[in-house]
Amino acid sequence: MKQISFYIALIFLLQSCNYFTIKNETRKPVARVNSVYLYQEDFKSIFAKDIEKQDSILLANSYINNWIKQQLLLSKAQLNMENQAGKFDELVKKYRQDLFINSYKEAVVKQYLNTEITDEDINQFYLNNSQDYKLNEELVKLKYIKISKDIINKNELIKLFKSSEKKDIASLNAKELSLKSQHLNDSVWVKYSDLISKVPIFRTIDKQELLKKDNFIQKEDSLSLYLATIKQVLNRNEIAPKSYITPTIKQMILQQRKLLLLRNIEETLIDDATKKQQFEIY
């Protein structure tokens, strides 16, 4: 360990002098496991330019210790699993091939995939596949606010909340500081599970009672008053609305385009190779 500490100090000294180029013939090891050596240049890249001396020493110590453990485990594994070497070589070969192929495919997709998705694309996909998107839980459109039970302008806030006038909703939005929490955009679909998760007091209301269209709900606890108006409800197994699954539709469209692009590339490769007589089947 004294020798390791000496080399760590040497590394830090070289680093502080902005000189860390070591010729192969003069490089010196900082650690050894059996016949395998760790050299200074093997881990110089782990140091940031502005790292403190004490941090450099800790980082180097950690790197060296981890390297030693890894080499010991590797040595033991190679000794005890020598009969698996052929299998591992095949796996490594396959992994290398897959890595090249997948990297090439990703590069091609990145360069040629059309990622522009229009409203027409979304509408057509939804029309063709809507039956595949049945809801597995209820969705609800609602307005909701939570206010202090003892707030001075409570009645005014309740009146504004109950109103369907746009100007009153705007006024309620303007009084945001008086609201502990709110959801005033009743054009957005919300999952029932998310609703009762974010507003736990609604769990005390029977589900069927809560999910009634045009239902006005007023609940309170020791500190707060909760108001909600249910605008619209969709039940389980009903077709999911397009606006709700648009993000999913976009992903599916891109995935279909990607598969089609890759299939066309593969077919083109086969056609070109056939014309050039690059392969034969015996």
Side-chain angles (χ1 to χ4, degrees), residues 180-195:
K180 291 184 175 181
S181 63
Q182 81 271 5
H183 174 83
L184 297 175
N185 186 356
D186 60 7
S187 64
V188 175
W189 289 103
V190 178
K191 293 194 290 187
Y192 170 74
S193 58
D194 288 343
L195 174 60

Side-chain angles (χ1 to χ4, degrees), residues 1-11 30 57 61 64:
M1 291 304 295
K2 289 183 178 179
Q3 188 180 26
I4 291 176
S5 298
F6 167 77
Y7 284 118
I8 292 172
L10 177 62
I11 291 165
V30 295
I57 294 173
N61 262 320
I64 292 169

Side-chain angles (χ1 to χ4, degrees), residues 12-48:
F12 181 78
L13 177 63
L14 291 174
Q15 183 191 32
S16 64
C17 296
N18 293 320
Y19 178 78
F20 208 35
T21 303
I22 305 171
K23 294 181 180 180
N24 287 339
E25 61 269 20
T26 61
R27 63 179 184 167
K28 295 181 180 180
V30 295
R32 178 187 65 82
V33 174
N34 298 320
S35 60
V36 182
Y37 289 85
L38 176 68
Y39 296 94
Q40 294 171 1
E41 64 184 30
D42 293 331
F43 64 106
K44 63 183 180 181
S45 60
I46 68 172
F47 294 105

Side-chain angles (χ1 to χ4, degrees), residues 90-105:
E90 285 299 317
L91 289 173
V92 169
K93 179 181 177 181
K94 186 178 186 309
Y95 175 77
R96 186 173 186 273
Q97 292 174 345
D98 290 343
L99 187 62
F100 270 105
I101 292 171
N102 291 332
S103 296
Y104 170 71
K105 286 181 177 180

Side-chain angles (χ1 to χ4, degrees), residues 38-235:
L38 176 68
Y39 296 94
Q40 294 171 1
E41 64 184 30
D42 293 331
F43 64 106
K44 63 183 180 181
S45 60
I46 68 172
F47 294 105
K49 291 182 179 180
D50 56 349
I51 194 170
E52 297 289 338
K53 178 178 179 179
Q54 188 62 32
D55 292 336
S56 293
I57 294 173
L58 290 173
L59 187 59
N61 262 320
S62 176
Y63 187 94
I64 292 169
N65 289 330
N66 286 334
W67 179 86
I68 290 172
K69 285 185 284 187
Q70 184 180 36
Q71 293 302 318
L72 289 173
L73 283 169
L74 178 60
S75 176
K76 183 65 70 174
Q78 290 174 331
L79 179 64
N80 287 275
M81 305 195 71
E82 187 176 1
N83 61 336
Q84 298 288 326
K87 177 182 177 181
F88 292 157
D89 288 343
E90 285 299 317
L91 289 173
V92 169
K93 179 181 177 181
K94 186 178 186 309
Y95 175 77
R96 186 173 186 273
Q97 292 174 345
D98 290 343
L99 187 62
F100 270 105
I101 292 171
N102 291 332
S103 296
Y104 170 71
K105 286 181 177 180
E106 288 176 6
V108 169
V109 167
K110 184 176 181 180
Q111 183 174 0
Y112 295 107
L113 182 65
N114 175 17
T115 58
E116 182 181 354
I117 299 175
T118 65
D119 290 340
E120 184 179 352
D121 293 329
I122 295 171
N123 292 336
Q124 189 60 50
F125 188 94
Y126 182 74
L127 182 64
N128 294 338
N129 302 277
S130 59
Q131 290 297 324
D132 296 332
Y133 293 99
K134 291 185 178 181
L135 296 171
N136 55 15
E137 72 169 295
E138 295 80 4
L139 296 182
V140 58
K141 288 182 177 179
L142 79 159
K143 287 191 306 181
Y144 155 78
I145 62 170
K146 175 184 177 182
I147 59 178
S148 174
K149 190 175 179 180
D150 302 319
I151 195 168
I152 297 175
N153 58 340
K154 180 170 68 175
N155 291 333
E156 178 190 1
L157 294 174
I158 294 174
K159 183 179 179 181
L160 289 172
F161 179 83
K162 287 183 175 181
S163 174
S164 58
E165 297 290 331
K166 289 184 178 180
K167 61 181 180 64
D168 291 333
I169 297 298
S171 297
L172 191 58
N173 265 313
K175 298 181 183 296
E176 183 179 358
L177 294 178
S178 298
L179 310 178
K180 291 184 175 181
S181 63
Q182 81 271 5
H183 174 83
L184 297 175
N185 186 356
D186 60 7
S187 64
V188 175
W189 289 103
V190 178
K191 293 194 290 187
Y192 170 74
S193 58
D194 288 343
L195 174 60
I196 61 174
S197 173
K198 294 178 180 178
V199 193
I201 197 170
F202 287 166
R203 293 176 184 171
T204 64
I205 304 174
D206 179 75
K207 185 177 181 179
Q208 298 301 320
E209 184 64 27
L210 176 64
L211 298 180
K212 283 184 178 179
K213 185 179 178 181
D214 299 325
N215 189 20
F216 174 72
I217 301 159
Q218 183 169 325
K219 296 284 290 184
E220 63 181 53
D221 55 26
S222 59
L223 298 175
S224 302
L225 176 67
Y226 306 80
L227 303 176
T229 298
I230 306 300
K231 178 181 178 181
Q232 192 173 350
V233 177
L234 284 176
N235 296 310

